[in-house]
Amino acid sequence: MPDVNLTTLYKLKQSAEKIVCLTAYDATFAHLESQAGVEVILVGDSLGMVLQGHDSTLPVTVADMAYHTRSVKRGNRGALIMADLPFMAYATLEQTLNNSAALMQAGAHMVKLEGAGWLAENITALVQRGIPVCAHLGLTPQTVNVLGGYKVQGREQAQADTLLADAVALEAAGASMLLLECVPSDLATRISQSVKVPVIGIGAGSGTDGQVLVVHDMLGLSISGRLPRFVKNFMTETADIPAAIKAYVDAVKAVEFPAREHEF
Ligand SMILES: Nc1nc(=O)c2c([nH]1)NC[C@@H]1CN(c3ccc(C(=O)N[C@@H](CCC(=O)O)C(=O)O)cc3)CN21
Ligand SMILES: CC(C)C(=O)C(=O)O
Ligand SMILES: [Mg+2]
């Protein structure tokens, strides 16, 4: 696979070929995933839950994210590396710039931050300074204490209208990608059709331009034993992890994953 960049991803959206994204936190998985055709590797702050054992992503630090991003960079063979800015690392403009710089210098090609319309100013400042941004909308896990749990967002008409308006506003502010988590499928499809930038979904149905999962989830690994509705275990039909990752890539490309049972 030649090196994936933003132009590659725009072309995939324009040609209606699904974009495959998957989390990785270390060199081995980054190597495996990039060799299997994963286009975007997400160094997610979900590492606070699946690696560190916390019950939310809030304890994760910029130093943690930089450490894992450095590891992923060493194993990566051509995927675009996206790193999450962790909780409170983009509370002010100055923090946003300093912490994004740290993740880019650790090996990220772009950063992801969670929020809504209020992110516009930060996004514009980052892009002007050479840092592409993905805006994560819908269920934003860093806001779990405000949301009152990991719940589907945008079920009410007014909330859905706001989400669509936010998506359009953040594209206008300079976001190069959007990520929609746990929103109704029809809303996710509408948003994907309303912006030119690629929209990656998780729990957002098959109408987005791409899909993402936490790698532990798609390998059937879980501490709680209870996986969200949008997860599929790709280990049930294969004998090894590289084959499961390849099956995930193939299923997303074939628009076989997510199926109706994984949607809201
Ligand atoms: N292992 C793991 N996988 C993830 O997808 C993930 C993390 N960790 N950590 C950060 C966030 C938290 N996420 C979550 C966690 C739980 C649900 C969940 O249980 N959702 C309900 C929705 C209930 C409803 O409102 O209808 C579900 O049934 O799927 C969703 C997203 C997604 N992210
Ligand atoms: C669940 C995905 C989208 C994420 O943000 C993460 O892995 O941290
Ligand atoms: Mg995250």
Side-chain angles (χ1 to χ4, degrees), residues 1 20-41 79 211 213-221 232-253 257:
M1 180 166 71
V20 187
C21 179
L22 189 60
T23 70
Y25 315 99
D26 65 27
T28 301
F29 275 89
H31 191 262
L32 218 59
E33 293 176 18
S34 54
Q35 297 282 41
V38 171
E39 280 122 359
V40 180
I41 292 178
Q211 297 294 327
L213 281 179
V214 169
V215 66
H216 293 62
D217 295 347
M218 54 80 63
L219 295 176
L221 304 172
K232 177 176 171 175
N233 178 358
F234 283 86
M235 281 299 282
T236 56
E237 284 152 40
T238 45
D240 61 74
I241 289 171
I245 290 171
K246 188 68 174 58
Y248 168 69
V249 172
D250 292 345
V252 172
K253 290 288 184 191
F257 176 81

Side-chain angles (χ1 to χ4, degrees), residues 24 26 70-71 83 87-88 114 117-118 125 133 173 179 194 224 247:
D26 65 27
R70 282 195 296 275
S71 301
F87 178 64
M88 287 301 276
E114 297 180 8
W118 63 270
V133 183
L179 189 147
S194 303
S224 71

Side-chain angles (χ1 to χ4, degrees), residues 21-25 42-50 57 65 82 84 112 114 136 139-142 179-181 200-202 212-215 217 230:
C21 179
L22 189 60
T23 70
Y25 315 99
L42 173 62
V43 187
D45 61 350
S46 51
L47 69 85
M49 295 168 84
V50 296
T57 57
M65 294 307 303
M82 175 158 77
D84 268 344
K112 176 162 78 61
E114 297 180 8
H136 180 155
L139 170 50
T140 46
Q142 292 171 15
L179 189 147
L180 295 178
E181 175 165 352
I200 308 294
I202 175 167
V212 62
L213 281 179
V214 169
V215 66
D217 295 347
F230 54 76

Side-chain angles (χ1 to χ4, degrees), residues 94-175:
E94 192 181 3
Q95 286 177 319
T96 305
L97 298 175
N98 289 335
N99 293 325
S100 300
L103 298 184
M104 294 296 280
Q105 291 182 329
H109 300 111
M110 71 188 296
V111 299
K112 176 162 78 61
L113 28 73
E114 297 180 8
W118 63 270
L119 288 172
E121 190 194 337
N122 283 1
I123 291 174
T124 303
L126 285 168
V127 178
Q128 285 170 336
R129 288 158 180 79
I131 302 183
V133 183
C134 175
H136 180 155
L137 304 170
L139 170 50
T140 46
Q142 292 171 15
T143 328
V144 62
N145 295 294
V146 174
L147 298 176
Y150 298 111
K151 295 184 213 155
V152 176
Q153 303 294 308
R155 276 203 160 120
E156 315 281 314
Q157 189 58 48
Q159 220 193 7
D161 292 344
T162 303
L163 251 171
L164 175 60
D166 285 344
V168 170
L170 295 183
E171 176 182 50

